[in-house]
Amino acid sequence: MTRDSNGFRTILVTGSTGGLGRALALEYAAPGRTLLLHGRDATVLDFVSAECRSRGAVAHSIVADLGDASAWARQLREVDAATPIDLAFVNAAAASFDSGGGESWDEADALLAVNVRAAIATAATLAATMRSRGHGHLALISSLAAWHGLPRTPAYSASKAALKAYGEALHGSLHGHGVGVTVVMPGYIRTSMAERDPRSKPWMLDAGDAARRIARGVANRRARIAFPQPIAYATHLLAILPASWSSWIVRRLRY
């Protein structure tokens, strides 16, 4: 196999059994590509892998629980040594919603283990190997919630802000070493995770539409991809307004 025009032949997608992960896998599924698809549910993962094979891609399933970031990093190094990864989507994430009783530490701890520790373990592990090869690209799936914490999802907002900051810093540290980094900040995407969210969800996108937007941005080596634009502008504004104003707006909108 030869690399395509974007240089991405072998692609890792963590959380590929979720709505956006599956859509990203299908977006890149094509002859000449090898997809390394991660998930916890082996049955669902095999189904997604079969879908990708039907489009001509080679697809391998990687079953792993990201709750143990160190174990995952060791497994990922073995996978990358056997099949060097050109492009990685750090996509796997958990969510929690405060329905009025507060968010417990156990909930927050479990979420941060996946959304922060495992996500950074994935990016750091592959950043090292990609840098040594002088080639590769990392796409970290953050969220527009990273611009300003939302009261009903405090731990989730914090986790996505952490991943945004880490990705931006990694982009700078890898500059000049042949490795690109894209921080992806989507708004609401129609997934099972979104369906559990009790808030209103303006400008919600289908997962396939989101995947296409992300793929275009990654192909252009963009440092940041934020969409849809109305929500992206609004949440960015929350980040630069005085904190008291932003908090008042978010409370009024019941987010």
Side-chain angles (χ1 to χ4, degrees):
M1 285 186 291
T2 58
R3 287 192 174 93
D4 60 25
S5 59
N6 291 321
F8 305 138
R9 180 181 66 183
T10 302
I11 301 166
L12 169 73
V13 182
T14 67
S16 59
T17 55
L20 180 58
R22 173 179 173 271
L24 285 167
L26 293 175
E27 177 67 22
Y28 283 90
R33 286 210 178 104
T34 296
L35 302 181
L36 305 174
L37 306 179
H38 158 268
R40 287 190 305 169
D41 188 320
T43 301
V44 178
L45 188 58
D46 286 344
F47 176 78
V48 176
S49 295
E51 285 186 295
C52 293
R53 292 187 195 105
S54 73
R55 298 190 177 196
V58 175
H60 300 291
S61 298
I62 305 172
V63 179
D65 184 345
L66 301 188
D68 185 338
S70 296
W72 164 242
R74 289 192 295 271
Q75 183 177 357
L76 182 57
R77 280 192 290 269
E78 293 174 0
V79 169
D80 183 68
T83 311
I85 295 166
D86 299 313
L87 169 63
F89 287 98
V90 185
N91 168 71
S96 65
F97 306 104
D98 180 1
S99 57
E103 187 177 55
S104 72
W105 166 241
D106 287 343
E107 291 175 314
D109 189 29
L111 182 149
L112 294 173
V114 174
N115 293 18
V116 179
R117 286 183 56 79
I120 292 179
T122 304
T125 298
L126 293 179
T129 58
M130 288 178 175
R131 179 171 175 161
S132 68
R133 293 193 292 263
H135 169 82
H137 198 97
L138 298 167
L140 282 61
I141 310 299
S142 177
S143 166
L144 290 178
W147 284 124
H148 187 281
L150 302 179
R152 294 193 185 184
T153 56
Y156 179 82
S157 298
S159 72
K160 292 304 182 180
L163 196 58
K164 170 183 173 292
Y166 181 79
E168 290 166 347
L170 199 61
H171 180 272
S173 70
L174 292 172
H175 180 72
H177 295 281
V179 183
V181 180
T182 298
V183 174
V184 183
M185 301 176 67
Y188 292 109
I189 300 173
R190 190 170 286 107
T191 65
S192 59
M193 182 185 295
E195 290 173 359
R196 298 195 303 273
D197 188 341
R199 297 168 296 181
S200 62
K201 294 175 273 292
W203 284 286
M204 187 160 66
L205 299 173
D206 289 331
D209 186 2
R212 287 188 290 273
R213 292 174 185 235
I214 293 168
R216 285 197 298 269
V218 168
N220 291 323
R221 301 298 203 278
R222 289 178 56 185
R224 179 187 296 151
I225 306 168
F227 61 87
Q229 285 192 338
I231 301 293
Y233 290 146
T235 52
H236 192 192
L237 181 62
L238 289 175
I240 60 179
L241 284 172
S244 59
W245 295 15
S246 298
S247 296
W248 181 84
I249 292 169
V250 169
R251 287 197 305 271
R252 293 284 292 179
L253 293 174
R254 297 182 179 180
Y255 285 136

